[in-house]
Amino acid sequence: MQGTTDLQVTADNATLLASAQPGAKLVMIDGMNHALRKAPADRAANFATYRNPRLPLAKELVPALSAFVSAH
């Protein structure tokens, strides 16, 4: 899983990593950052989400994780 606003691991990095593993399935979550929360692309605002424990996880994350675990 990869977020499109992850400032630490880019979408291009995730695509490259997934292509190195035959059978890998890359799930891109729009607007999710490295802290697994919805965040803007703006660097300062994005990193501010790291310090806010009240922010929920990206809503698409848990269903995608659940589907992966169920399939394996």
Side-chain angles (χ1 to χ4, degrees):
M1 278 176 239
Q2 175 66 34
T4 61
T5 59
D6 188 329
L7 299 175
Q8 294 174 288
V9 179
T10 67
D12 287 342
N13 293 148
T15 300
L16 190 59
L17 184 61
S19 70
Q21 174 59 47
K25 179 184 175 194
L26 178 58
V27 175
M28 296 295 286
I29 298 180
D30 190 45
M32 185 177 79
N33 69 0
H34 200 75
L36 309 178
R37 297 179 170 112
K38 291 291 186 157
D42 173 75
R43 188 173 186 81
N46 191 312
F47 279 129
T49 68
Y50 287 47
R51 298 183 301 272
N52 187 348
R54 292 190 176 102
L55 290 176
L57 296 174
K59 67 179 180 175
E60 302 92 340
L61 179 64
V62 172
L65 284 172
S66 178
F68 174 81
V69 170
S70 293
H72 296 88

